[in-house]
Amino acid sequence: MQSHLLIGAASSGSGKTTFTLGLLRALKNRSFEVQPFKCGPDYIDTRHHRMAAGNPSVNLDLFMMSEAHVHDLYAGYTEKADVAVTEGVMGLFDGYDGMKGSSAEIACLLKIPVVLIVNAKSTAYSVAPLLYGFKHFKKQVQVVGAVFNFVASESHYSFLKQACEDAGVEALGYLPKCADVEIPSRHLGLSLDEDFCFEEFADRVAELVEKYVDIDRLLELTKQVAPAALPMSVSHRTYRREPSFTVAIARDPAFNFMYEANIRYLHHLGEVTYFSPLADTSLPDTGFVYLPGGYPELYLAALSANRPMLQSIRRYVENGGKLLAECGGMMYLCDEIRDKNGDVYPMAGVLHQSATMENMKLRLGYRTLLYDDARLKGHEFHYSRLVERQDPLPSCAVAYTAKGVKTDTPLYRYKNVLAGYTHLYWADPAGNEWFTKFCFTLPV
Protein backbone atom coordinates (compact mmCIF):
# COMPACT_ATOMS: atom_id res chain seq x y z
CA MET A 1 0.00 0.00 0.00
CA GLN A 2 1.05 3.57 -0.63
CA SER A 3 0.94 6.57 1.67
CA HIS A 4 -1.14 9.54 0.50
CA LEU A 5 -1.33 12.81 2.40
CA LEU A 6 -2.43 16.37 1.84
CA ILE A 7 -0.62 19.04 3.84
CA GLY A 8 -3.17 21.66 4.87
CA ALA A 9 -3.22 24.60 7.25
CA ALA A 10 -5.56 27.03 8.97
CA SER A 11 -4.20 29.91 6.89
CA SER A 12 -1.41 31.02 4.58
CA GLY A 13 1.86 31.68 6.38
CA SER A 14 1.62 28.59 8.57
CA GLY A 15 4.63 26.92 6.95
CA LYS A 16 3.06 24.47 4.49
CA THR A 17 5.71 24.97 1.84
CA THR A 18 8.67 24.74 4.22
CA PHE A 19 7.36 21.52 5.77
CA THR A 20 6.41 20.08 2.39
CA LEU A 21 9.91 20.67 0.99
CA GLY A 22 11.55 19.19 4.08
CA LEU A 23 9.29 16.14 4.01
CA LEU A 24 9.82 15.59 0.27
CA ARG A 25 13.59 15.74 0.67
CA ALA A 26 13.53 13.52 3.79
CA LEU A 27 11.48 10.89 1.93
CA LYS A 28 13.80 11.10 -1.06
CA ASN A 29 16.78 10.66 1.27
CA ARG A 30 15.10 7.50 2.58
CA SER A 31 15.03 6.23 -1.05
CA PHE A 32 11.26 6.47 -1.39
CA GLU A 33 9.76 7.17 -4.78
CA VAL A 34 7.83 10.28 -3.84
CA GLN A 35 5.30 12.07 -6.04
CA PRO A 36 4.52 15.71 -5.21
CA PHE A 37 1.34 17.63 -6.08
CA LYS A 38 0.15 21.20 -5.50
CA CYS A 39 -3.45 22.28 -4.94
CA GLY A 40 -4.35 25.33 -6.97
CA PRO A 41 -2.67 27.23 -9.82
CA ASP A 42 0.74 27.98 -8.25
CA TYR A 43 3.59 27.23 -10.68
CA ILE A 44 6.43 28.32 -8.34
CA ASP A 45 5.88 25.88 -5.47
CA THR A 46 5.82 23.03 -8.01
CA ARG A 47 9.32 23.97 -9.16
CA HIS A 48 10.56 23.74 -5.57
CA HIS A 49 8.78 20.41 -5.13
CA ARG A 50 10.56 19.02 -8.15
CA MET A 51 13.96 20.08 -6.83
CA ALA A 52 13.24 18.62 -3.38
CA ALA A 53 11.69 15.32 -4.52
CA GLY A 54 13.43 14.63 -7.81
CA ASN A 55 10.08 14.14 -9.58
CA PRO A 56 7.87 16.66 -11.38
CA SER A 57 5.12 18.20 -9.27
CA VAL A 58 1.58 18.33 -10.69
CA ASN A 59 -1.10 20.95 -10.10
CA LEU A 60 -4.57 19.80 -8.99
CA ASP A 61 -7.10 22.57 -9.55
CA LEU A 62 -10.89 22.27 -9.59
CA PHE A 63 -11.46 25.61 -11.29
CA MET A 64 -9.20 25.02 -14.29
CA MET A 65 -9.80 21.25 -14.41
CA SER A 66 -12.74 18.86 -14.41
CA GLU A 67 -13.10 16.38 -11.55
CA ALA A 68 -12.40 13.51 -13.97
CA HIS A 69 -9.16 15.12 -15.11
CA VAL A 70 -7.99 15.75 -11.52
CA HIS A 71 -8.73 12.13 -10.69
CA ASP A 72 -6.87 10.93 -13.79
CA LEU A 73 -3.83 13.09 -13.06
CA TYR A 74 -3.61 11.87 -9.48
CA ALA A 75 -4.07 8.21 -10.37
CA GLY A 76 -1.62 8.37 -13.27
CA TYR A 77 1.20 10.16 -11.48
CA THR A 78 0.91 8.09 -8.28
CA GLU A 79 0.83 4.74 -10.06
CA LYS A 80 4.51 3.96 -9.36
CA ALA A 81 5.00 6.08 -6.24
CA ASP A 82 5.65 4.92 -2.69
CA VAL A 83 4.36 8.17 -1.20
CA ALA A 84 2.19 10.94 -2.66
CA VAL A 85 2.49 14.34 -0.96
CA THR A 86 0.05 17.10 -1.92
CA GLU A 87 0.68 20.64 -0.69
CA GLY A 88 -2.52 22.57 -0.06
CA VAL A 89 -3.24 26.18 -0.94
CA MET A 90 -4.08 28.95 1.55
CA GLY A 91 -6.22 27.67 4.43
CA LEU A 92 -7.63 24.15 4.12
CA PHE A 93 -11.19 25.29 3.34
CA ASP A 94 -10.33 28.44 1.36
CA GLY A 95 -11.59 28.29 -2.23
CA TYR A 96 -12.50 30.70 -4.97
CA ASP A 97 -16.14 30.59 -3.81
CA GLY A 98 -16.54 29.31 -0.27
CA MET A 99 -15.07 25.82 -0.24
CA LYS A 100 -15.14 25.42 -4.05
CA GLY A 101 -11.66 24.81 -5.39
CA SER A 102 -10.18 24.45 -1.90
CA SER A 103 -7.63 21.94 -0.66
CA ALA A 104 -10.44 20.34 1.35
CA GLU A 105 -12.44 19.77 -1.84
CA ILE A 106 -9.41 18.08 -3.45
CA ALA A 107 -8.94 15.93 -0.32
CA CYS A 108 -12.60 14.87 -0.45
CA LEU A 109 -12.58 14.11 -4.17
CA LEU A 110 -9.43 11.97 -4.00
CA LYS A 111 -10.01 10.67 -0.45
CA ILE A 112 -6.59 11.88 0.71
CA PRO A 113 -5.90 12.05 4.48
CA VAL A 114 -4.98 15.53 5.71
CA VAL A 115 -2.08 16.47 7.96
CA LEU A 116 -2.49 19.99 9.36
CA ILE A 117 0.43 22.37 9.73
CA VAL A 118 -0.38 24.67 12.64
CA ASN A 119 1.37 27.96 13.34
CA ALA A 120 2.10 27.66 17.06
CA LYS A 121 3.76 31.05 17.44
CA SER A 122 2.30 32.89 20.45
CA THR A 123 -0.18 30.12 21.29
CA ALA A 124 -0.27 26.81 23.14
CA TYR A 125 -3.31 24.91 24.46
CA SER A 126 -5.59 27.32 22.55
CA VAL A 127 -4.93 25.30 19.39
CA ALA A 128 -7.29 22.62 20.81
CA PRO A 129 -10.55 24.23 19.59
CA LEU A 130 -8.92 25.06 16.26
CA LEU A 131 -7.92 21.42 15.77
CA TYR A 132 -11.32 20.20 16.92
CA GLY A 133 -13.05 22.52 14.48
CA PHE A 134 -10.93 21.47 11.51
CA LYS A 135 -11.45 17.80 12.33
CA HIS A 136 -15.24 18.02 12.68
CA PHE A 137 -16.30 20.86 10.34
CA LYS A 138 -16.61 18.52 7.34
CA LYS A 139 -16.71 14.83 8.20
CA GLN A 140 -15.65 13.93 4.64
CA VAL A 141 -12.28 15.61 5.27
CA GLN A 142 -10.03 13.12 7.10
CA VAL A 143 -7.80 15.17 9.40
CA VAL A 144 -5.50 12.47 10.77
CA GLY A 145 -2.72 14.43 12.43
CA ALA A 146 -1.01 17.75 13.10
CA VAL A 147 2.52 19.10 12.82
CA PHE A 148 3.30 22.38 14.59
CA ASN A 149 5.53 25.12 13.25
CA PHE A 150 7.49 27.88 15.03
CA VAL A 151 7.65 25.89 18.29
CA ALA A 152 9.80 27.56 20.93
CA SER A 153 10.79 24.53 23.05
CA GLU A 154 9.95 20.99 24.14
CA SER A 155 7.93 22.50 26.96
CA HIS A 156 5.92 24.51 24.43
CA TYR A 157 5.32 21.34 22.40
CA SER A 158 4.03 19.50 25.49
CA PHE A 159 1.08 21.94 25.67
CA LEU A 160 0.43 21.45 21.97
CA LYS A 161 0.44 17.67 22.36
CA GLN A 162 -2.08 17.95 25.20
CA ALA A 163 -4.28 20.09 22.96
CA CYS A 164 -4.08 17.44 20.24
CA GLU A 165 -5.05 14.69 22.64
CA ASP A 166 -8.09 16.60 23.89
CA ALA A 167 -9.15 17.56 20.33
CA GLY A 168 -8.84 14.01 19.04
CA VAL A 169 -6.06 14.77 16.51
CA GLU A 170 -2.75 12.92 16.67
CA ALA A 171 0.37 15.03 17.28
CA LEU A 172 3.04 14.05 14.75
CA GLY A 173 5.79 16.45 15.77
CA TYR A 174 6.95 19.97 15.13
CA LEU A 175 9.45 22.30 13.51
CA PRO A 176 11.36 24.53 15.92
CA LYS A 177 11.53 28.28 15.54
CA CYS A 178 14.61 28.54 13.35
CA ALA A 179 15.89 31.54 11.38
CA ASP A 180 17.98 29.48 8.96
CA VAL A 181 14.93 27.74 7.49
CA GLU A 182 13.20 30.92 6.42
CA ILE A 183 12.91 31.16 2.65
CA PRO A 184 13.62 34.53 1.03
CA SER A 185 10.66 35.85 -0.93
CA ARG A 186 10.04 37.91 -4.01
CA HIS A 187 6.96 39.66 -5.36
CA LEU A 188 5.84 36.50 -7.21
CA GLY A 189 6.54 34.02 -4.45
CA LEU A 190 9.51 32.13 -3.09
CA SER A 191 12.88 33.22 -4.38
CA LEU A 192 14.69 31.26 -7.05
CA ASP A 193 17.74 33.52 -7.03
CA GLU A 194 20.96 31.89 -8.14
CA ASP A 195 22.48 32.93 -4.81
CA PHE A 196 19.76 31.06 -2.87
CA CYS A 197 21.25 27.66 -2.08
CA PHE A 198 18.15 25.53 -2.46
CA GLU A 199 19.87 22.16 -2.01
CA GLU A 200 21.42 23.25 1.27
CA PHE A 201 18.07 24.68 2.41
CA ALA A 202 16.12 21.52 1.51
CA ASP A 203 18.64 19.30 3.29
CA ARG A 204 18.51 21.51 6.40
CA VAL A 205 14.72 21.36 6.61
CA ALA A 206 14.82 17.61 5.94
CA GLU A 207 17.16 17.20 8.93
CA LEU A 208 14.68 19.07 11.14
CA VAL A 209 11.76 16.98 9.87
CA GLU A 210 13.69 13.76 10.55
CA LYS A 211 14.62 14.95 14.04
CA TYR A 212 11.33 16.47 15.24
CA VAL A 213 8.56 14.78 13.19
CA ASP A 214 7.52 11.13 13.45
CA ILE A 215 7.72 10.33 9.73
CA ASP A 216 7.09 6.62 10.25
CA ARG A 217 3.84 7.30 12.10
CA LEU A 218 2.82 9.88 9.50
CA LEU A 219 3.28 7.31 6.73
CA GLU A 220 1.40 4.68 8.71
CA LEU A 221 -1.56 6.98 9.33
CA THR A 222 -1.84 7.88 5.66
CA LYS A 223 -1.51 4.42 4.12
CA GLN A 224 -4.29 3.45 1.74
CA VAL A 225 -5.02 1.78 -1.56
CA ALA A 226 -3.97 3.91 -4.52
CA PRO A 227 -6.84 5.39 -6.54
CA ALA A 228 -7.46 3.72 -9.88
CA ALA A 229 -7.91 5.66 -13.09
CA LEU A 230 -11.54 6.26 -14.00
CA PRO A 231 -12.99 3.72 -16.45
CA MET A 232 -12.89 4.84 -20.10
CA SER A 233 -10.83 7.83 -19.06
CA VAL A 234 -11.19 10.68 -21.52
CA SER A 235 -7.59 11.67 -20.85
CA HIS A 236 -6.30 8.60 -22.65
CA ARG A 237 -8.74 8.75 -25.57
CA THR A 238 -8.18 12.22 -26.91
CA TYR A 239 -4.44 12.63 -27.44
CA ARG A 240 -3.74 12.96 -31.15
CA ARG A 241 -0.12 12.30 -31.95
CA GLU A 242 1.05 14.06 -35.11
CA PRO A 243 4.52 12.82 -36.11
CA SER A 244 5.16 15.94 -38.18
CA PHE A 245 4.01 18.36 -35.46
CA THR A 246 6.87 20.03 -33.61
CA VAL A 247 6.72 22.28 -30.53
CA ALA A 248 9.39 24.70 -29.29
CA ILE A 249 9.12 25.76 -25.64
CA ALA A 250 11.03 28.67 -24.12
CA ARG A 251 12.75 27.43 -20.97
CA ASP A 252 15.48 29.31 -19.11
CA PRO A 253 15.81 31.47 -15.97
CA ALA A 254 13.62 34.17 -17.54
CA PHE A 255 10.81 31.88 -18.77
CA ASN A 256 9.87 28.88 -16.68
CA PHE A 257 6.34 29.22 -15.26
CA MET A 258 4.47 26.27 -16.73
CA TYR A 259 2.13 23.47 -15.73
CA GLU A 260 3.55 19.95 -15.80
CA ALA A 261 0.39 18.45 -17.33
CA ASN A 262 0.35 21.08 -20.10
CA ILE A 263 3.90 20.14 -21.10
CA ARG A 264 3.08 16.45 -20.95
CA TYR A 265 0.12 17.11 -23.24
CA LEU A 266 2.42 18.80 -25.77
CA HIS A 267 4.68 15.75 -25.68
CA HIS A 268 1.64 13.64 -26.57
CA LEU A 269 0.78 15.89 -29.51
CA GLY A 270 4.18 15.97 -31.19
CA GLU A 271 7.94 16.36 -30.93
CA VAL A 272 9.00 18.85 -28.22
CA THR A 273 12.22 20.85 -28.17
CA TYR A 274 13.34 23.64 -25.83
CA PHE A 275 15.11 26.91 -26.52
CA SER A 276 16.41 29.85 -24.48
CA PRO A 277 15.50 33.46 -25.35
CA LEU A 278 18.47 34.41 -23.18
CA ALA A 279 21.17 32.21 -24.70
CA ASP A 280 20.07 31.02 -28.15
CA THR A 281 20.21 33.18 -31.25
CA SER A 282 17.31 31.71 -33.23
CA LEU A 283 14.19 29.60 -32.90
CA PRO A 284 14.44 25.92 -33.75
CA ASP A 285 12.52 24.74 -36.81
CA THR A 286 9.02 24.30 -35.40
CA GLY A 287 5.31 24.45 -36.06
CA PHE A 288 4.30 25.88 -32.68
CA VAL A 289 6.05 28.10 -30.13
CA TYR A 290 5.14 28.37 -26.46
CA LEU A 291 6.42 31.39 -24.52
CA PRO A 292 5.45 30.83 -20.87
CA GLY A 293 5.64 33.34 -18.05
CA GLY A 294 8.58 33.80 -15.75
CA TYR A 295 10.84 36.57 -14.52
CA PRO A 296 11.78 38.51 -17.69
CA GLU A 297 12.03 41.68 -15.60
CA LEU A 298 15.14 40.24 -13.94
CA TYR A 299 16.91 39.71 -17.28
CA LEU A 300 15.85 42.74 -19.30
CA ALA A 301 19.34 43.77 -20.41
CA ALA A 302 20.27 40.27 -21.59
CA LEU A 303 16.94 39.67 -23.34
CA SER A 304 17.08 43.02 -25.10
CA ALA A 305 20.71 42.54 -26.13
CA ASN A 306 19.93 39.22 -27.82
CA ARG A 307 18.72 40.90 -31.02
CA PRO A 308 19.13 37.79 -33.22
CA MET A 309 16.59 35.88 -31.11
CA LEU A 310 14.17 38.82 -31.02
CA GLN A 311 14.40 39.09 -34.80
CA SER A 312 13.93 35.33 -35.19
CA ILE A 313 10.74 35.48 -33.11
CA ARG A 314 9.42 38.43 -35.11
CA ARG A 315 10.18 36.75 -38.48
CA TYR A 316 8.47 33.56 -37.32
CA VAL A 317 5.31 35.46 -36.39
CA GLU A 318 5.23 37.60 -39.55
CA ASN A 319 5.57 34.43 -41.64
CA GLY A 320 2.43 32.98 -40.04
CA GLY A 321 3.96 30.84 -37.28
CA LYS A 322 1.74 29.65 -34.41
CA LEU A 323 2.70 31.10 -31.03
CA LEU A 324 1.11 31.12 -27.58
CA ALA A 325 2.52 33.63 -25.05
CA GLU A 326 1.53 34.00 -21.40
CA CYS A 327 2.27 36.84 -18.98
CA GLY A 328 6.07 37.30 -19.12
CA GLY A 329 6.07 35.69 -22.56
CA MET A 330 3.49 38.22 -23.71
CA MET A 331 5.61 41.06 -22.28
CA TYR A 332 8.58 39.74 -24.31
CA LEU A 333 6.52 40.16 -27.49
CA CYS A 334 5.86 43.86 -26.78
CA ASP A 335 7.81 46.72 -28.33
CA GLU A 336 9.53 47.29 -25.00
CA ILE A 337 9.59 46.52 -21.28
CA ARG A 338 10.26 49.26 -18.76
CA ASP A 339 11.82 48.33 -15.45
CA LYS A 340 10.63 49.69 -12.10
CA ASN A 341 12.82 52.79 -12.58
CA GLY A 342 11.34 53.54 -16.01
CA ASP A 343 14.41 52.45 -17.98
CA VAL A 344 13.39 51.13 -21.41
CA TYR A 345 14.50 47.81 -22.95
CA PRO A 346 13.44 47.07 -26.56
CA MET A 347 11.86 43.65 -27.09
CA ALA A 348 10.43 41.63 -30.00
CA GLY A 349 8.06 44.27 -31.39
CA VAL A 350 5.29 41.82 -32.26
CA LEU A 351 2.66 43.50 -30.07
CA HIS A 352 2.84 47.28 -30.42
CA GLN A 353 2.56 48.27 -26.79
CA SER A 354 4.79 48.64 -23.75
CA ALA A 355 4.91 46.56 -20.58
CA THR A 356 6.13 48.25 -17.43
CA MET A 357 7.17 47.30 -13.91
CA GLU A 358 6.74 50.90 -12.73
CA ASN A 359 4.35 51.45 -9.78
CA MET A 360 3.86 47.69 -9.41
CA LYS A 361 0.40 46.58 -8.35
CA LEU A 362 -0.75 42.99 -7.94
CA ARG A 363 -3.39 41.55 -10.26
CA LEU A 364 -4.43 37.99 -9.54
CA GLY A 365 -7.28 35.53 -9.75
CA TYR A 366 -8.86 32.80 -11.82
CA ARG A 367 -10.01 33.79 -15.29
CA THR A 368 -12.46 32.43 -17.85
CA LEU A 369 -11.84 33.90 -21.29
CA LEU A 370 -14.60 33.68 -23.90
CA TYR A 371 -12.72 33.48 -27.19
CA ASP A 372 -14.72 32.78 -30.35
CA ASP A 373 -16.89 29.83 -29.26
CA ALA A 374 -14.41 28.56 -26.66
CA ARG A 375 -14.05 28.98 -22.90
CA LEU A 376 -10.39 29.22 -21.91
CA LYS A 377 -9.58 28.63 -18.23
CA GLY A 378 -6.52 29.91 -16.41
CA HIS A 379 -5.04 32.11 -13.70
CA GLU A 380 -3.68 35.66 -13.69
CA PHE A 381 -0.84 36.69 -11.33
CA HIS A 382 1.42 39.64 -12.14
CA TYR A 383 2.68 43.01 -10.97
CA SER A 384 3.41 44.53 -14.35
CA ARG A 385 0.91 46.38 -16.54
CA LEU A 386 0.56 47.32 -20.18
CA VAL A 387 0.96 50.85 -21.44
CA GLU A 388 -1.13 51.12 -24.58
CA ARG A 389 -0.11 53.24 -27.54
CA GLN A 390 -2.35 55.69 -29.39
CA ASP A 391 -3.78 52.86 -31.49
CA PRO A 392 -4.21 50.11 -28.86
CA LEU A 393 -4.53 46.46 -29.85
CA PRO A 394 -8.08 45.32 -28.94
CA SER A 395 -8.66 42.24 -26.80
CA CYS A 396 -10.08 39.30 -28.74
CA ALA A 397 -11.80 37.78 -25.69
CA VAL A 398 -14.17 38.72 -22.89
CA ALA A 399 -12.76 37.87 -19.46
CA TYR A 400 -14.57 36.89 -16.25
CA THR A 401 -13.47 36.18 -12.69
CA ALA A 402 -14.19 32.90 -10.92
CA LYS A 403 -17.47 34.38 -9.68
CA GLY A 404 -18.55 35.43 -13.16
CA VAL A 405 -17.75 39.13 -12.82
CA LYS A 406 -16.51 40.74 -16.03
CA THR A 407 -12.92 41.97 -15.81
CA ASP A 408 -10.49 43.70 -18.15
CA THR A 409 -7.88 40.94 -18.49
CA PRO A 410 -6.88 41.05 -22.18
CA LEU A 411 -6.20 38.32 -24.71
CA TYR A 412 -4.57 39.46 -27.94
CA ARG A 413 -4.68 37.88 -31.38
CA TYR A 414 -2.17 38.98 -33.99
CA LYS A 415 -1.84 36.77 -37.08
CA ASN A 416 -1.29 33.32 -35.53
CA VAL A 417 -0.31 34.64 -32.09
CA LEU A 418 -2.44 34.33 -28.95
CA ALA A 419 -1.02 36.33 -26.05
CA GLY A 420 -2.23 37.58 -22.71
CA TYR A 421 -1.63 37.79 -19.00
CA THR A 422 -3.55 34.58 -18.20
CA HIS A 423 -1.59 31.39 -17.53
CA LEU A 424 -3.83 29.02 -19.48
CA TYR A 425 -4.55 25.36 -18.78
CA TRP A 426 -5.13 23.11 -21.78
CA ALA A 427 -4.29 19.56 -20.62
CA ASP A 428 -7.89 18.68 -19.66
CA PRO A 429 -9.58 16.94 -22.60
CA ALA A 430 -12.94 18.14 -21.31
CA GLY A 431 -12.10 21.74 -22.24
CA ASN A 432 -9.13 21.87 -24.60
CA GLU A 433 -10.80 21.79 -28.02
CA TRP A 434 -9.71 25.41 -28.49
CA PHE A 435 -6.08 24.43 -27.96
CA THR A 436 -5.93 21.53 -30.39
CA LYS A 437 -7.82 23.66 -32.93
CA PHE A 438 -5.29 26.47 -32.44
CA CYS A 439 -2.39 24.03 -32.86
CA PHE A 440 -3.61 22.17 -35.94
CA THR A 441 -5.78 24.48 -38.03
CA LEU A 442 -4.27 26.09 -41.08
CA PRO A 443 -2.53 29.46 -40.60
CA VAL A 444 -4.62 32.58 -41.10
Side-chain angles (χ1 to χ4, degrees):
M1 292 180 74
Q2 300 166 314
S3 292
H4 297 257
L5 66 144
L6 186 147
I7 298 170
S11 65
S12 295
S14 298
K16 292 189 304 292
T17 298
T18 299
F19 176 69
T20 300
L21 296 177
L23 180 62
L24 291 173
R25 178 54 61 88
L27 293 170
K28 181 187 177 187
N29 290 344
R30 289 186 176 200
S31 299
F32 283 111
E33 187 68 25
V34 56
Q35 176 58 55
F37 295 91
K38 173 66 183 181
C39 292
D42 189 294
Y43 35 74
I44 299 176
D45 284 350
T46 53
R47 294 187 61 207
H48 286 84
H49 292 176
R50 183 177 195 139
M51 290 188 285
N55 284 319
S57 181
V58 182
N59 293 83
L60 305 172
D61 189 293
L62 287 169
F63 177 83
M64 300 192 298
M65 309 172 190
S66 64
E67 289 189 0
H69 183 60
V70 168
H71 196 289
D72 273 356
L73 284 175
Y74 194 79
Y77 275 90
T78 56
E79 187 176 6
K80 297 180 180 179
D82 300 311
V83 186
V85 178
T86 301
E87 182 187 349
V89 58
M90 300 187 294
L92 182 63
F93 294 99
D94 293 328
Y96 61 85
D97 186 5
M99 187 176 153
K100 290 180 182 177
S102 66
S103 307
E105 190 177 30
I106 293 285
C108 289
L109 174 69
L110 300 174
K111 299 179 172 58
I112 308 174
V114 173
V115 173
L116 277 178
I117 303 301
V118 180
N119 184 345
K121 191 183 297 182
S122 303
T123 190
Y125 186 73
S126 290
V127 301
L130 182 145
L131 293 169
Y132 185 87
F134 270 77
K135 183 175 177 65
H136 295 283
F137 179 65
K138 291 286 183 183
K139 292 293 186 182
Q140 309 95 308
V141 180
Q142 311 167 55
V143 178
V144 298
V147 173
F148 297 93
N149 197 16
F150 309 115
V151 174
S153 63
E154 278 288 344
S155 175
H156 183 193
Y157 182 55
S158 68
F159 288 103
L160 300 169
K161 283 197 295 184
Q162 183 184 353
C164 277
E165 185 176 342
D166 292 349
V169 176
E170 188 161 340
L172 295 171
Y174 68 94
L175 291 179
K177 194 186 301 181
C178 208
D180 62 349
V181 294
E182 293 179 4
I183 307 176
S185 63
R186 188 194 309 285
H187 57 270
L188 281 180
L190 303 186
S191 173
L192 289 174
D193 282 345
E194 293 179 1
D195 58 357
F196 175 55
C197 300
F198 181 86
E199 292 299 317
E200 181 181 325
F201 170 83
D203 286 336
R204 172 62 178 145
V205 182
E207 288 176 10
L208 294 175
V209 171
E210 282 283 6
K211 183 174 181 180
Y212 294 103
V213 177
D214 189 343
I215 296 177
D216 293 331
R217 181 56 180 159
L218 182 151
L219 296 177
E220 185 64 31
L221 278 175
T222 57
K223 251 181 194 168
Q224 59 185 52
V225 176
L230 296 177
M232 297 299 291
S233 166
V234 291
S235 292
H236 300 108
R237 289 205 312 264
T238 57
Y239 291 129
R240 185 176 70 174
R241 178 77 176 181
E242 297 284 346
S244 62
F245 182 64
T246 56
V247 179
I249 301 174
R251 185 177 66 180
D252 63 18
F255 301 99
N256 47 54
F257 294 168
M258 53 191 93
Y259 294 124
E260 160 68 19
N262 277 352
I263 303 305
R264 187 184 70 164
Y265 191 85
L266 291 174
H267 277 277
H268 279 280
L269 292 180
E271 188 69 28
V272 172
T273 59
Y274 295 91
F275 71 98
S276 168
L278 282 170
D280 296 329
T281 56
S282 65
L283 282 173
D285 186 19
T286 187
F288 180 79
V289 172
Y290 175 41
L291 281 173
Y295 288 126
E297 68 272 19
L298 301 181
Y299 303 92
L300 292 177
L303 290 171
S304 186
N306 192 355
R307 302 308 298 170
M309 175 56 79
L310 293 169
Q311 292 164 3
S312 178
I313 293 272
R314 189 162 56 249
R315 281 195 304 270
Y316 171 83
V317 170
E318 295 301 332
N319 289 331
K322 294 287 186 73
L323 188 150
L324 176 65
E326 298 170 343
C327 202
M330 181 266 294
M331 295 166 64
Y332 180 71
L333 295 182
C334 291
D335 287 332
E336 62 188 26
I337 301 176
R338 304 176 192 171
D339 66 16
K340 62 183 180 180
N341 298 317
D343 294 329
V344 175
Y345 296 86
M347 291 293 154
V350 172
L351 304 177
H352 297 309
Q353 53 197 3
S354 299
T356 182
M357 300 301 296
E358 299 167 287
N359 304 313
M360 295 191 304
K361 184 178 180 181
L362 177 62
R363 284 287 302 268
L364 81 162
Y366 286 115
R367 299 290 180 258
T368 298
L369 303 175
L370 303 186
Y371 169 64
D372 289 342
D373 297 326
R375 297 172 66 87
L376 285 58
K377 292 290 190 76
H379 188 261
E380 180 178 8
F381 195 139
H382 58 94
Y383 282 82
S384 68
R385 59 187 171 87
L386 297 177
V387 181
E388 293 181 341
R389 300 296 178 87
Q390 290 181 348
D391 185 20
L393 187 65
S395 176
C396 66
V398 180
Y400 295 90
T401 68
K403 291 192 174 184
V405 178
K406 193 172 179 179
T407 186
D408 60 355
T409 302
L411 182 70
Y412 299 113
R413 179 71 186 259
Y414 173 73
K415 294 198 171 186
N416 285 311
V417 172
L418 269 183
Y421 266 123
T422 308
H423 297 264
L424 297 169
Y425 190 82
W426 62 75
D428 188 345
N432 70 356
E433 294 87 353
W434 69 270
F435 183 75
T436 50
K437 181 181 177 182
F438 180 64
C439 287
F440 294 120
T441 52
L442 292 174
V444 298

